[in-house]
Amino acid sequence: MAKPTTKPKNTSGPKRTRKPSADALPTREQLLEALAEQTDIKGKRDLAKIFGIRGDMRRPFKAMLNELEGEGIITRTRKALRRTAALPHVTVLDIPTDADPDNLHAFPAQWNEEQGEKPRVQVLGGRDARVVPAPGDRILARIDAGEGEPPAYTAKAMKILDKPRRAHIGIVRMDEDGARLVPVDRKQKEMRIPPGDLGDAKDGDLVEVDVKPAGRLMIPRARVTAVIGNPASEGAISLIAIHALEIPYRFPASVIREAEQAEEASLKGREDWRDVPLITIDPHDAKDHDDAVYAELDTDENNAGGHIVTVAIADVAAYVRPGTALDREAYLRGNSVYFPDRVVPMLPERISNELCSLKEGQPRAALAVRMVIGADGKKRSHSFHRILMRSAAGISYQQAQAAIDGTPDDKTGPLLEPILRPLFAAYETMTKARDNRGPLDLDLPERKIILDEKGMVKDIRIPERLEAHRLIEEMMIAANVAAAETLEQKRSPLLYRVHDEPSSEKLQSLRDFLGSLDIAVKKSDNVRTSDFNGILAQARRAGNIDQVSEMVLRSQAQAEYAAENYGHFGLNLDRYAHFTSPIRRYADLIVHRALIRAERFGDDGLSDSEVEKLAGIAQHISATERRAMSAERETSDRLLAQFLSSQIGARFEGRISGVTRSGLFVRLLETGADGFIPASTLGQDYYRYAEDQQAMVGDRTGEKFGLGDPVTVRLLEAAPVAGSLRFELLSEGTRGNPSSSKRTIRRPSRAQALRARRKR
């Protein structure tokens, strides 16, 4: 830092220094040096005087200070600023993915290397800990600085945090002025890439960049640090979401090595079920088969008309044991992620597609549940078994359905009488109990994106929902319930799949909306799943099922994993656990280990250290599930935006899928693509957001555009990198009473406005 040229008259205040140059701000290093040398600096005003900050320089100077404070490099005590010399009492820590699960350590998430090497922090745990983190987690922690220099830091986790997007990802675009970066995050603005900072990147490349403010006004500039690939040429749009959300997609060498060294499980310690004709029913293009089913009439005279249903699930726990590299990587990933152009698996192919895939005719290790179903469809009893099985056949949903409908093929013909008919008969019986239970009857169609050989959208289809699909779903639900019941009976800890009932706020919003449609709903917050099914039944009769289904879906809480049980509202079940997909979900692997421990099936069950960490595991895998859902949704948005980018100006039919103060969200009927119509472009009136109606209502005309309304739109803009579309509204809204519409307007609160912005 430049030394002052004259001694100030008032020696009691901070020393005045000369600006680094006529028009430049001080560097971060100069700011930190001033804070270290002049201990009497009271705040930003003193620092501004030291560096002669005035006029247009005040705003970027303040931004620099806020950035330093946000990174934890400087701290504020009342109005005094100081450089951070030690970790604050509460801070954010990152636990390395290769940390010892039984002796965790962490490092500060933000650290200025000028202060020296990052301090290592010991993370304390134990049975009494309310939050139990694991390798790979980011935590908010309370810090204790022990004796010594440097301090021996220890931390107690307060909360496990979702990791933010740390990487700056974008697409390089060349123009006459050089290179610019088009960020994948819709909220970020484009940046210029100086000529010397482009590296080996070319036009269209997906790159990772460092962002640094430059110049007097601190305009952000991007510097390419890594070229990830070119989605257009490689047909890998999913690369954007994978890197932006930091999804691990390459297995470390140690994990591959363990997978390759794994040996097939033997009959030792297992029941021999190789003669039981279990079959797998999967999508026609499935590469792994982790569940098999079999059913037969119960010959017990005390259960006349009943069935015995068996569900066998690949025994992943036999190959992925606690504390191994395979286990650490599976935990880190939490689940497989499914994109239209690829799958990012939780486990290496050697495990998921070979040893744990229940291939036809191959002996495979499995955990099986044998359920006795009464003639009323209710489960009377069940038992778990660790087995060696051999799949009698692997068929698709379409094959199974065609066979039961009267058109079997060469493969399903021999299976029809001995296997398929008993399976469908057992399913029909089980549906009695399902209908009596009354799970939430939201059967929303899911579109499937079909890609061509270049990885671009070829077609969008709504796959037909077959009874064969429902058969497998019902049997998997029954097996999941049985797993939860057994573990509770054995007083074993487990991970539940839980789904809370809707909050009071969401219920009130739903009531307001349904009131505008003259659909009656009880006023109590003590609602049951059957209440929602009654609402949906009324909507079907009234012909507005689309609007109501959308609002009912929005009123629901998000399902998650938890070590404590509070039931599954959507399925209307008191207890529920995920047991049926351990190849692709870590939660199911934990439940398998718990069953192995509870039933004394072997020494590879749930470990004591895992039992202590179940709460943290639940938080982590709930976060990885949300990350996977975001990645899949964003990739679909980008693929659809790219598919429609050649149809600018075209007209489409759609429905209003969301209403906010800023405008309308519209979902196209044919493709399912979502786009936005700004409120400022609606009609010839001034439109206000009527929250109770989930609509935009015109002040003068009363014209209304509401949730679920059919509309015709024109595509004005498509941004494939961001996955966004902008429409122009061509159709008119419904006409109402202007004065009435004004009375029903309720301006959203600040919290509601913030939530609406976050949804966008």
Side-chain angles (χ1 to χ4, degrees):
M1 185 185 77
K3 299 291 183 181
T5 55
T6 59
K7 186 175 181 179
K9 293 179 181 179
N10 181 6
T11 57
S12 62
K15 298 176 182 178
R16 176 74 177 268
T17 188
R18 186 184 304 161
K19 289 189 298 182
S21 66
D23 296 313
L25 289 167
T27 64
R28 290 160 62 103
E29 291 75 16
Q30 288 171 325
L31 279 171
L32 295 174
E33 186 178 350
L35 287 170
E37 289 181 354
Q38 302 194 46
T39 58
D40 52 353
I41 293 175
K42 294 294 189 292
K44 295 178 181 178
R45 183 172 297 179
D46 285 347
L47 271 176
K49 287 181 179 179
I50 288 173
F51 292 100
I53 302 298
R54 59 175 63 88
D56 292 342
M57 298 180 68
R58 290 195 179 102
R59 181 172 294 178
F61 181 77
K62 183 179 180 180
M64 183 187 293
L65 291 178
N66 289 340
E67 183 180 340
L68 288 168
E69 190 175 354
E71 293 176 9
I73 297 172
I74 62 176
T75 58
R76 183 192 309 275
T77 306
R78 294 184 182 177
K79 289 189 176 181
L81 287 170
R82 64 179 176 84
R83 178 172 176 171
T84 303
L87 288 179
H89 293 304
V90 175
T91 194
V92 177
L93 302 175
D94 281 335
I95 302 173
T97 57
D98 59 353
D100 182 352
D102 297 319
N103 188 25
L104 288 177
H105 69 279
F107 298 98
Q110 297 286 349
W111 184 256
N112 181 14
E113 300 298 337
E114 297 171 4
Q115 300 179 80
E117 188 176 350
K118 277 188 178 183
R120 180 186 173 105
V121 183
Q122 189 71 29
V123 181
L124 304 179
R127 288 185 178 272
D128 297 332
R130 295 182 62 185
V131 177
V132 185
D137 283 346
R138 168 169 285 191
I139 59 173
L140 181 68
R142 196 176 303 279
I143 304 295
D144 181 49
E147 300 295 329
E149 185 59 40
Y153 289 113
T154 58
K156 289 185 177 180
M158 301 165 62
K159 185 179 182 182
I160 297 176
L161 306 173
D162 288 349
K163 287 191 175 182
R165 301 186 183 198
R166 289 199 302 264
H168 290 276
I169 304 292
I171 300 287
V172 173
R173 293 299 181 202
M174 306 300 294
D175 54 33
E176 63 266 13
D177 296 323
R180 58 190 171 92
L181 183 82
V182 180
V184 300
D185 190 335
R186 307 174 194 183
K187 298 176 183 178
Q188 294 178 357
K189 295 182 179 180
E190 290 190 6
M191 291 174 276
R192 301 303 306 183
I193 305 175
D197 291 337
L198 188 59
D200 296 328
K202 301 180 293 296
D203 185 60
D205 280 351
L206 176 67
V207 297
E208 186 170 344
V209 301
D210 278 340
V211 179
K212 291 188 176 181
R216 175 182 169 189
L217 299 179
M218 302 297 286
I219 297 172
R221 299 288 182 91
R223 181 177 68 84
V224 175
T225 58
V227 177
I228 297 168
N230 192 307
S233 62
E234 297 171 10
I237 295 292
S238 55
L239 277 173
I240 298 175
I242 287 170
H243 285 271
L245 289 166
E246 296 185 312
I247 295 173
Y249 72 106
R250 291 193 179 103
F251 286 107
S254 59
V255 174
I256 297 296
R257 186 164 53 250
E258 278 190 6
E260 294 301 325
Q261 292 173 351
E263 298 180 358
E264 288 191 23
S266 67
L267 189 57
K268 183 179 179 181
R270 300 176 182 277
E271 299 176 42
D272 190 350
W273 283 27
R274 285 175 289 184
D275 291 335
V276 178
L278 290 147
I279 66 168
T280 61
I281 305 177
D282 292 294
H284 67 89
D285 56 353
K287 293 183 179 179
D288 56 64
H289 312 273
D290 57 358
D291 57 80
V293 291
Y294 175 67
E296 58 186 334
L297 275 173
D298 193 352
T299 57
D300 187 343
E301 60 184 16
N302 294 320
N303 190 28
H307 293 80
I308 297 174
V309 174
T310 299
V311 174
I313 306 298
D315 190 357
V316 178
Y319 302 99
V320 183
R321 302 198 172 205
T324 61
L326 271 168
D327 182 50
R328 286 194 295 271
E329 185 68 16
Y331 167 82
L332 179 66
R333 296 178 178 224
N335 45 255
S336 298
V337 188
Y338 293 85
F339 299 104
D341 62 345
R342 70 173 69 199
V343 175
V344 178
M346 186 180 80
L347 297 168
E349 188 173 328
R350 163 77 172 154
I351 303 296
S352 61
N353 291 7
E354 293 294 333
L355 297 178
C356 289
S357 185
L358 307 181
K359 294 185 174 183
E360 182 178 328
Q362 298 294 318
R364 288 291 184 262
L367 278 182
V369 56
R370 184 178 182 273
M371 298 175 285
V372 179
I373 307 296
D376 58 359
K378 294 181 179 179
K379 178 169 62 65
R380 294 191 168 191
S381 64
H382 69 269
S383 58
F384 279 89
H385 308 262
R386 203 170 197 186
I387 66 170
L388 191 70
M389 60 161 283
R390 183 189 289 116
S391 172
I395 61 175
S396 70
Y397 289 112
Q398 289 74 20
Q399 285 179 293
Q401 191 66 54
I404 211 69
D405 289 342
T407 55
D409 59 22
D410 291 344
K411 187 166 190 178
T412 57
L415 305 174
L416 183 57
E417 295 303 326
I419 297 177
L420 290 176
R421 288 205 190 280
L423 270 173
F424 276 84
Y427 162 66
E428 286 182 15
T429 301
M430 295 173 76
T431 59
K432 299 176 185 177
R434 181 197 65 194
D435 294 342
N436 186 56
R437 186 180 83 241
L440 189 60
D441 189 17
L442 267 178
D443 197 7
L444 299 172
E446 292 187 12
R447 288 171 173 80
K448 183 174 182 180
I449 297 175
I450 310 298
L451 303 182
D452 60 21
E453 63 279 358
K454 296 181 180 178
M456 299 301 147
V457 177
K458 177 182 178 182
D459 193 11
I460 297 104
R461 300 173 189 163
I462 300 178
E464 184 182 3
R465 284 277 292 164
L466 306 172
E467 284 302 296
H469 289 105
R470 295 184 174 93
L471 179 152
I472 294 299
E473 287 175 4
E474 197 59 35
M475 292 183 177
M476 295 306 115
I477 288 172
N480 287 335
V481 172
E485 289 177 348
T486 289
L487 291 172
E488 280 193 354
Q489 291 164 4
K490 300 282 185 178
R491 299 185 181 278
S492 169
L494 73 148
L495 286 182
Y496 293 93
R497 180 63 170 179
V498 291
H499 179 218
D500 205 357
E501 61 186 30
S503 66
S504 299
E505 294 80 5
K506 288 185 175 181
L507 282 175
Q508 187 56 51
S509 295
L510 180 62
R511 285 192 198 96
D512 291 342
F513 173 73
L514 294 175
S516 70
L517 299 177
D518 296 324
I519 294 178
V521 58
K522 70 179 185 179
K523 295 182 179 180
S524 172
D525 284 349
N526 185 21
V527 294
R528 299 180 178 179
T529 312
S530 57
D531 296 322
F532 284 96
N533 288 336
I535 291 167
L536 293 166
Q538 289 185 65
R540 288 189 185 94
R541 290 193 295 270
N544 47 23
I545 186 61
D546 293 312
Q547 297 100 311
V548 175
S549 293
E550 188 74 35
M551 279 301 292
V552 167
L553 180 63
R554 292 182 182 202
S555 71
Q556 301 303 304
Q558 187 170 26
E560 60 184 358
Y561 297 103
E564 296 179 356
N565 184 32
Y566 51 86
H568 199 294
F569 183 83
L571 292 174
N572 201 13
L573 291 168
D574 292 332
R575 56 194 56 81
Y576 192 64
H578 271 168
F579 159 75
T580 53
S581 294
I583 283 178
R584 62 185 180 91
R585 293 188 305 226
Y586 196 78
D588 303 55
L589 177 57
I590 291 292
V591 169
H592 274 231
R593 289 174 180 167
L595 286 166
I596 291 168
R597 173 174 170 149
E599 297 280 11
R600 302 182 185 277
F601 284 151
D603 60 1
D604 49 354
L606 199 65
S607 66
D608 290 338
S609 109
E610 285 178 302
V611 170
E612 291 183 358
K613 298 169 184 172
L614 280 181
I617 292 172
Q619 287 180 303
H620 170 76
I621 61 178
S622 294
T624 60
E625 180 185 49
R626 291 192 296 271
R627 179 180 68 182
M629 291 170 62
S630 295
E632 292 164 5
R633 183 175 59 250
E634 289 179 12
T635 298
S636 294
D637 287 346
R638 291 186 178 105
L639 283 166
L640 290 173
Q642 186 177 60
F643 177 62
L644 293 171
S645 62
S646 61
Q647 302 182 53
I648 302 297
R651 296 162 60 106
F652 299 94
E653 300 302 315
R655 285 191 182 274
I656 296 175
S657 59
V659 185
T660 71
R661 293 181 69 184
S662 300
L664 305 174
F665 289 93
V666 172
R667 181 166 299 147
L668 302 185
L669 298 182
E670 186 177 353
T671 62
D674 289 297
F676 187 64
I677 303 173
S680 59
T681 67
L682 294 178
Q684 301 298 316
D685 204 342
Y686 181 80
Y687 294 83
R688 298 180 188 270
Y689 174 49
E691 183 187 5
D692 56 348
Q693 302 176 61
Q694 283 294 298
M696 298 293 283
V697 182
D699 268 1
R700 179 170 47 81
T701 61
E703 185 180 29
K704 184 171 75 171
F705 298 99
L707 185 72
D709 287 351
V711 290
T712 302
V713 297
R714 178 182 289 117
L715 179 61
L716 297 182
E717 181 183 355
V721 172
S724 61
L725 302 169
R726 185 165 63 88
F727 297 133
E728 175 189 9
L729 186 62
L730 300 180
S731 51
E732 295 183 352
T734 57
R735 295 289 173 173
N737 188 325
S739 59
S740 172
S741 70
K742 289 181 182 179
R743 282 198 301 271
T744 60
I745 291 168
R746 191 168 67 197
R747 288 185 178 276
S749 67
R750 178 176 175 80
Q752 290 164 341
L754 287 172
R755 284 198 295 271
R757 282 201 293 272
R758 281 198 292 269
K759 287 179 182 177
R760 293 198 300 274

